[in-house]
Each structure stands twice: as structure tokens, then as C-alpha cells.
Amino acid sequence: MNRAMHGSDVVLAPELMLAESASVLLRKRRRGELSSWEAREIIEAIVSLPVRIEPHAPLLVAALSLADTHDLTVYDALYLALAERHGARLMTCDDRLDRVAKTMGLGSP
């Protein structure tokens, strides 16, 4: 992400990333781990990251196929479909998704 902040790399994410981020923050808010103010500040920071947000519609057919082939959720497969479409590497902390990305030649080294 540091290279993206300086403009030497482009980071892509499906629209889903924003909804997933907001959902996690709401869950933390409801458990009392964040105040409403903190959740709002974090989501504003996420929205301001140097990430190019891509729409879902052009990725859905590929995501459905990838999800079916690799026994993933369509949500996870959207990230793979986006990486595949752009010939990009997938950055994830999800071990299973990372393994699939590597088998597709899309994983981080």
C-alpha cells in the first residue's frame, strides 16, 4: 500500500470492499469496540485510500465461475475476478483465498 500512496502502484478493489469494511465497523460498534465517531472516522479514511474501486457488474460472471470452480463465496471470487481481469496480484490475509490466487498465478510472491 505504501507504493500506492506514492503513485508507483495502483491498488484495485471491487465495490464490495467498501460494504465489507462498513459491515465490520458496524459489528465492532455494536460490540462496543468502537464508538460511532471512531467507526465514522475509519470509514472516511478507508474511502479516502488511494484505491481504484471497480464496479461489480462486469466481474459477476467470472466471479460466479471462479466461486464454483474453487469452492469459494462469490464475495471472495470477486477479488479474484478483478485481479484476473487486470493481470494483477491479489493481496489478502485469507490463507485459502491466497492459495487459490497462487494456483491461478495471481498470488503475492
Side-chain angles (χ1 to χ4, degrees), residues 1-11 45 48-51:
M1 185 63 78
N2 193 32
R3 290 173 50 116
M5 298 285 257
H6 294 97
S8 59
D9 281 345
V10 174
V11 177
S48 72
L49 288 171
V51 175

Side-chain angles (χ1 to χ4, degrees), residues 20-95:
E20 285 183 317
S21 298
S23 183
V24 167
L25 293 170
L26 179 60
R27 199 173 12 217
K28 288 184 170 291
R29 168 69 193 110
R30 288 180 174 163
R31 288 193 307 234
E33 297 172 18
L34 293 173
S35 69
S36 293
W37 178 85
E38 289 169 318
R40 193 169 37 256
E41 288 288 311
I42 293 169
I43 201 66
E44 287 174 1
I46 290 169
V47 169
S48 72
L49 288 171
V51 175
R52 189 170 81 199
I53 302 299
E54 297 281 325
H56 291 142
L59 303 170
L60 286 174
V61 171
L64 182 61
S65 177
L66 288 166
D68 189 33
T69 299
H70 298 286
D71 194 30
L72 299 168
T73 65
V74 171
Y75 304 114
D76 285 347
L78 279 168
Y79 290 90
L80 281 175
L82 181 61
E84 186 175 49
R85 172 167 284 197
H86 290 278
R89 287 178 298 159
L90 181 74
M91 297 182 336
T92 181
C93 292
D94 183 307
D95 290 337

